[in-house]
Structure formats: structure tokens, C-alpha cells
Amino acid sequence: MMTELASFDIFMRTAFGVEPAARAGLQLKAMAEAKCLGPHEEAPLGKRESNVLYIGSGATKLAARASDNREQIVAFHFGGDIFSVPADDLHSYSVSSLEPTSLLVFPARPFFDCASSDPRISRALLERQRTALHRCRDKAVALGQKNALERLAGFLFAMADRIGTGSGVRRILDLPMSRRDIGDSLGLTIETVSRQLGALRKAGLIETHGRSRIVVRDLNDIAHLSGHCGKSERTEPIEADFDLDQCERLPVGVARPQTGGQS
Amino acid sequence: MMTELASFDIFMRTAFGVEPAARAGLQLKAMAEAKCLGPHEEAPLGKRESNVLYIGSGATKLAARASDNREQIVAFHFGGDIFSVPADDLHSYSVSSLEPTSLLVFPARPFFDCASSDPRISRALLERQRTALHRCRDKAVALGQKNALERLAGFLFAMADRIGTGSGVRRILDLPMSRRDIGDSLGLTIETVSRQLGALRKAGLIETHGRSRIVVRDLNDIAHLSGHCGKSERTEPIEADFDLDQCERLPVGVARPQTGGQS
DNA sequence: CGAGAGCTTGATTGGGATCAAGGAAAGTGG
DNA sequence: CCACTTTCCTTGATCCCAATCAAGCTCTCG
């Protein structure tokens, strides 16, 4: 159908810079399956084997079930992203849309078999996988070592980078995910997410408008709170410790983060 | 030197099934740097850019610094493993040996540039990256959603799979990492690791001999405790809930794991 | 064998989960 | 457009698992 053709061609050109008529392009096209998801819909995937997904437009969450009421969101994905979905192994993975989404689904094995035949495609995929792995590692650091406030600040920082609008240090975020999704992504409950957002709001670091819009007043402050300690000073470094207590007495331990949170 | 040549040739043959004399092999060889590490030594890496490492023999930990006294071990690697080390970005990463280790270091960008030119190499790398990513995601699930006992059981299960010896359901683990390393990997303190190991020992599920040897009596029990819920029933499934309290009154919440641990 | 690092065990504390109400948004039907 | 409904979000009170603090113990190695 026309829709499938069009989105596939865009996929080949934007993701790999390869014309869809190339040999690998035709092979990939043969195994592509286009899907359109409503606002909150799980993508139908064969769970027996891994899949590779391309998000044409929209937003999705990649989640793992740990048990009936324990879900860990492993990654969020937005338009233009390519990622692989593990087959059900130790955990059961699923992809769900956060808003209306169009995507392409490939079976992982033949996809990689074919992709490796074209240097441009395999080079791009290796780079994207490396990015995904590094994001996942940073998430592991957050989940293993950071407290609730640091995790939330890290989340806001990452979202500002990926879907934020606005210039300078001020960023506007229209988050497609619910508080529950944020909590499931950060290993926190919705109550804790709400409380920490409230703390940031009271401290004057963010504004919230409605349910989905969050305005970051100064990205530097958020970056500072997130407990990152590499050399990525994208914006200007902050000298003095920012103290959430400056506005109001708050039971938030910013200055003394724990070794490993509480679990 | 001879050592470097020999280990590089082994690398090409075992990792990719490609003769070192192939064109891509010669290019890779030119950028390879062989290192030998003592028992507990940090690998000297240029942190400005990502590196790709191949472990010829030995064992290493890949760790991220979150702050002065918060370290998250992101992965352990053993002989034959290939993995990429992120450049310092949000966090600062380092690779350290757990025992005497020989390895090859490549700068990531030219390594991937070159690797993508050979379909056999890029195919193998895509597969390894996919495995690394899936391991990291499973770790994220553990860190975000599981309690101390489940994490430790998951760790033992994974180690039994990777470096365990013995047949049937009984597995012998000679762990090269310390309790601190285990704790840093699971987002727990050494005390908690020790307590949970003690609980497993008292419950008769494991034996400990000296500091490094752990014998898993029945891998099924450990798998069951780890809270995995996919379809990977490698060994036989267990019907009844195993109850740690059967041996002694223990304050261990096995039956009622929490939503997200405590942080 | 002795020193010291690494491990174990106990007592207490604390951060975030859980339990429990309310309150604001978004959707629905009249 | 407005009541009604529902879902999602916020805020408060209490509880609990794992962190922290504090001794001892035990391997390992020189």
C-alpha cells in the first residue's frame, strides 16, 4: 500500500542515507511491516523472536514486565528512532504508543543479516546501537545509585535534550507520557514522582502547566541536580550548590545522596 | 611484538571467524593496542572518545562513577567478550581487571568504520551489541523493580550461565569479583549482599567456600527467586513457591516483592 | 604467624513505598 | 455549554526494606 511505501522510503533515506532502490533497501522493504497505533495501544509483535522497530512519527515506551504489577520502562522512543525489542527471555517486553504513532516492524535476524551487507547501513546501525547501549547504561547508573530527586532531574534533562523546545537555558517540555510512565521508567511510584515534581516547582526550578507541559526555567540547575559527574558541560557549570531549601523547608536530601538509594 | 600479534589473530578468528590477513583484519590490527593488567588494575583508556575492548583472558568490570563514593558496575566481562566503553559524558566510565587480564583496545570510531566494511564482522558486532543491550536492559529491570534477594538471585543465575561449571542443576561458581563489586553491580551495599547470601546459605540453597566460591545447589530455585517472568525455562519449572522460611525464621520478603524496591 | 583487607552480623535510621483521601483535567452525554 | 463521570494527579500519614553505623570475624598474603 502507499502508506507503507512512503514511510519505508523515508526510513531508508533519513536513517541510513541510502536510496530505497538499493539492493539492501529492496530486501529490507520485503520484510517491513507498517503499523499505525492509536493513542495508547500496544504494538503487535511476535514475541518469539527479537524485532527491530523504526518510529516514523509519534512516541512509544519499551517496557519489561517483572511481574503482574511491576513494569520497568526501559526506554522511550520518538520519531526517527530505530531500536531492537528483545524476544521474551528473562523478562517479557512490549512496545506501546504514548500518542498516535506510525512505525515499521522488522524481524531482527533477517534485518541484521541484510543490514550487514551494506556498509552504510551497518555503520549507522552500529552507531545507533551504541547510543542505545550508552543510554541504557546511564539509566542503570540512575536506577542503581541515585535518589528520587536526582533521577527525576536526570529524566527532565534527558527529555529536554530529546524533545524539548525553546532556546537558551529555558526549555519547554510537552511530555507525552503519564506520571505512571515516568515512575515506571525511573523505578519510582507515581506518588514519589509527583512529590519530587512538587518540590522542584516550589523551589522555582520548573513550572507545570496542565498535566503534560513542564517548563524548565534553567537547564543548568536541572543538570546540576541530576548528579551527573562526567565532562559534559553542555551549558555553563554552576559553582554554588543549589539548595532546594532556599524557598521552603523541604525534606529532600539533595546535598547528601545515598550510596544506592534504598533498593 | 609477538604477544600482540598472537592475541589479535585469536581475536579475529574466534570473534568474527575471519582470517587476520583479510583486508579489514589488517586495518583493525593497525589500530589495536594490546594491554596486560595485573590483579586489580584500571585499564588505561583515552576517555575523550569511546573505545572498543576485547578481553582475551581474565575478567573485568565496567564501572561508572556517579560521585565520589558511588560507583555503578554496568557490566562484567570475561574472556572472549567484546564491548564498547562510553566516552566520559554524563558519567565517567572505567574498566578494571578483577584478575590478571589480557585485552585489546581499539578506538571506537575507526573500529566501527572499518568493521562495517566487512559483512561478517559487522554482523557479529551487531549481534554482540544486541546481546549487551539486552543484558543491560535486564539489569535496568532488576535495579528498578526488584528487591535485594531477587537481584542477588538474578546475579547468581547470570553468573552460573556465564562462568559456572558443573552439570545438571548444580553449579559451581568461582567468582572473581568481591562483595563490593557485587554490591556495586546490583545497587546494594556490601552488608546487604552479605546478608542475602547468608539467607540463601541458611535456606540451604547455596554453599559458600572461602570468599570466592559459591555452589548453587539447584539452579531452578535460584532462577525462581530471581523474579524473572519470561519464557526462558531453561531448566524445569518449579510448581510450589519456594519458601526461605522453611529452614529458619528470616525477615526476607520473598513472597511479597515490592513495586519498586525502596528507591 | 601476624597484619590487614575483606566479610559477616547486629542495631538503628531514613528514603521512598504503601495506604488513604481529596482535587484537577479530560472525556461524555445531555 | 454544563453536569456527570472517569482518569489522572497531588498531598498527607504511616510503614518497611535496605542504608548506615558499629563491632567482630575470617580469610589471604607477606
Side-chain angles (χ1 to χ4, degrees):
Chain A
M1 55 172 82
M2 190 53 209
T3 312
E4 178 161 347
L5 292 174
S7 70
F8 181 83
D9 292 357
I10 291 170
F11 161 66
M12 286 300 291
R13 293 203 182 93
T14 61
F16 304 132
V18 172
E19 277 305 302
R23 209 171 70 86
L26 295 175
Q27 291 178 346
L28 288 178
K29 195 173 209 162
M31 63 182 85
E33 204 171 329
K35 300 263 168 76
C36 280
L37 304 179
H40 295 95
E41 195 179 344
E42 183 175 338
L45 301 174
K47 300 288 183 65
R48 292 279 179 85
E49 61 174 0
S50 290
N51 290 104
V52 171
L53 268 63
Y54 166 75
I55 307 296
S57 66
T60 63
K61 59 178 178 182
L62 170 59
R65 285 228 96 68
S67 67
D68 256 4
N69 42 4
R70 291 191 294 175
E71 169 172 287
Q72 177 66 43
I73 292 179
V74 158
F76 292 110
H77 293 284
F78 305 100
D81 284 350
I82 303 172
F83 59 100
S84 72
V85 182
D88 286 359
D89 183 29
L90 297 181
H91 302 102
S92 175
Y93 288 86
S94 67
V95 173
S96 303
S97 59
L98 303 171
E99 60 187 38
T101 295
S102 69
L103 47 81
L104 295 175
V105 181
F106 304 85
R109 187 180 300 270
F111 179 86
F112 285 127
D113 284 341
C114 174
S116 54
S117 71
D118 187 317
R120 291 167 299 181
I121 297 178
S122 58
R123 186 65 185 84
L125 282 177
L126 285 169
E127 197 59 32
R128 279 175 183 270
Q129 280 193 333
R130 204 172 59 82
T131 302
L133 183 56
H134 293 185
R135 280 213 188 106
C136 190
R137 284 173 173 166
D138 282 335
K139 176 181 275 286
V141 175
L143 293 176
Q145 303 293 336
K146 295 184 179 175
N147 65 26
L149 184 60
E150 291 175 308
R151 295 187 204 182
L152 195 59
F155 170 79
L156 292 176
F157 186 76
M159 285 302 132
D161 190 40
R162 296 181 71 183
I163 58 170
T165 57
S167 59
V169 294
R170 185 183 181 87
R171 294 297 163 82
I172 299 169
L173 306 180
D174 287 302
L175 300 175
M177 67 288 282
S178 68
R179 298 288 188 270
R180 171 162 302 283
D181 291 329
I182 297 173
D184 288 345
S185 165
L186 300 177
L188 302 169
T189 58
I190 52 173
E191 293 96 328
T192 297
V193 171
S194 185
R195 268 185 261 272
Q196 301 299 341
L197 278 178
L200 290 173
R201 193 183 330 107
K202 281 181 189 166
L205 295 177
I206 63 171
E207 305 159 19
T208 56
H209 299 107
R211 276 173 184 166
S212 63
R213 169 161 292 190
I214 293 179
V215 175
V216 173
R217 288 240 177 86
D218 187 338
L219 199 55
N220 288 314
D221 296 338
I222 297 302
H224 186 64
L225 284 176
S226 66
H228 296 154
C229 68
K231 292 155 186 166
S232 72
E233 311 291 345
R234 303 173 179 227
T235 47
E236 313 228 303
I238 302 175
E239 306 80 18
D241 259 16
F242 190 92
D243 189 358
L244 277 185
D245 291 1
Q246 69 182 19
C247 294
E248 193 168 295
R249 200 86 42 83
L250 291 173
V252 182
V254 183
R256 184 172 44 81
Q258 308 208 153
T259 290
Q262 291 262 341
S263 85
Chain B
M1 54 171 81
M2 190 53 207
T3 313
E4 178 163 346
L5 292 175
S7 70
F8 182 84
D9 291 357
I10 292 170
F11 161 67
M12 286 300 291
R13 292 202 183 92
T14 62
F16 304 132
V18 173
E19 279 304 303
R23 208 173 71 87
L26 295 175
Q27 291 179 346
L28 288 178
K29 195 174 211 163
M31 63 182 85
E33 203 171 331
K35 301 262 168 77
C36 280
L37 304 179
H40 295 95
E41 194 179 343
E42 183 174 337
L45 300 173
K47 300 288 184 65
R48 291 279 180 85
E49 60 174 0
S50 290
N51 291 102
V52 170
L53 269 63
Y54 167 75
I55 306 296
S57 66
T60 63
K61 60 177 177 181
L62 170 60
R65 283 228 98 65
S67 68
D68 256 4
N69 42 5
R70 291 190 295 175
E71 170 172 286
Q72 177 65 43
I73 292 179
V74 159
F76 293 111
H77 293 286
F78 306 101
D81 283 351
I82 303 172
F83 59 101
S84 71
V85 182
D88 285 0
D89 182 28
L90 297 180
H91 302 103
S92 175
Y93 287 86
S94 68
V95 174
S96 303
S97 59
L98 304 171
E99 61 188 37
T101 295
S102 69
L103 48 81
L104 296 175
V105 180
F106 304 84
R109 188 181 298 269
F111 179 86
F112 285 128
D113 283 342
C114 175
S116 54
S117 71
D118 187 317
R120 292 167 298 180
I121 298 179
S122 58
R123 186 65 184 84
L125 283 177
L126 286 168
E127 198 59 33
R128 280 175 183 269
Q129 280 194 333
R130 204 173 59 83
T131 303
L133 183 57
H134 293 185
R135 280 212 188 107
C136 190
R137 283 172 173 168
D138 282 334
K139 175 181 276 287
V141 175
L143 294 176
Q145 303 295 333
K146 295 184 180 175
N147 65 26
L149 184 62
E150 291 175 309
R151 294 187 205 182
L152 195 58
F155 170 79
L156 292 176
F157 186 77
M159 284 302 130
D161 190 40
R162 296 181 72 183
I163 58 171
T165 57
S167 59
V169 295
R170 186 182 180 87
R171 294 296 163 82
I172 299 168
L173 306 179
D174 287 303
L175 300 176
M177 66 288 284
S178 68
R179 299 286 188 270
R180 171 161 301 284
D181 289 331
I182 297 173
D184 287 345
S185 165
L186 300 177
L188 302 170
T189 58
I190 52 174
E191 293 98 327
T192 298
V193 171
S194 185
R195 267 185 261 272
Q196 300 300 339
L197 278 178
L200 290 174
R201 191 182 331 105
K202 282 181 189 166
L205 295 177
I206 64 172
E207 305 158 20
T208 56
H209 300 105
R211 277 174 183 164
S212 62
R213 170 161 291 191
I214 293 178
V215 175
V216 173
R217 288 240 177 87
D218 188 336
L219 199 54
N220 288 315
D221 296 338
I222 297 301
H224 186 65
L225 284 177
S226 66
H228 295 155
C229 68
K231 291 154 188 166
S232 71
E233 312 290 345
R234 304 174 177 224
T235 47
E236 313 229 303
I238 301 174
E239 306 78 19
D241 259 18
F242 190 92
D243 189 357
L244 277 186
D245 290 1
Q246 69 184 16
C247 294
E248 194 169 293
R249 200 86 42 84
L250 291 172
V252 183
V254 183
R256 185 172 44 82
Q258 309 207 150
T259 290
Q262 291 263 341
S263 87

